[in-house]
């Protein structure tokens, strides 16, 4: 069995979807401080992608984070 590790925020009930497909996942609920730190990093990432590509899909991703 292959294990993949992701150090990312998740949304849209992704753990439930993974488990409904017969796979296992582990996750943690972050403190408010850690959550805001990771959210800030995600905003930076999405903004950089938009600046690089000037693509409306990247802009939509930025809005999704907001």
């Amino acid at each position: 069995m292959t294990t993949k590790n992701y150090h990312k925020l998740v949304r849209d009930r992704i753990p439930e979807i993974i488990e409904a497909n017969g796979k296992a996942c582990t996750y943690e609920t972050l403190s408010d401080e850690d959550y805001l730190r990771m959210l800030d990093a995600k905003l930076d990432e999405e903004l950089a992608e938009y600046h690089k590509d000037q693509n409306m899909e990247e802009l939509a991703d930025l809005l999704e984070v907001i």
Side-chain angles (χ1 to χ4, degrees):
M1 180 169 111
T2 303
T3 299
K4 294 181 182 180
N5 293 309
Y6 299 95
H7 189 70
K8 303 177 78 163
L9 295 173
V10 295
R11 61 183 179 85
D12 297 334
R13 302 168 59 151
I14 296 299
E16 291 176 30
I17 293 168
I18 291 169
E19 291 169 353
N21 287 317
K23 297 181 181 177
C25 70
T26 57
Y27 58 92
E28 68 177 292
T29 301
L30 299 174
S31 67
D32 289 346
E33 180 180 308
D34 287 340
Y35 175 75
L36 289 174
R37 182 180 48 78
M38 289 197 71
L39 189 59
D40 188 49
K42 184 64 174 174
L43 283 168
D44 289 344
E45 173 190 330
E46 295 298 345
L47 183 58
E49 290 175 3
Y50 172 71
H51 281 166
K52 178 183 172 198
D53 298 334
Q54 296 291 302
N55 180 311
M56 292 303 285
E57 287 181 22
E58 298 298 344
L59 188 58
D61 289 346
L62 185 59
L63 276 174
E64 193 73 27
V65 174
I66 294 170

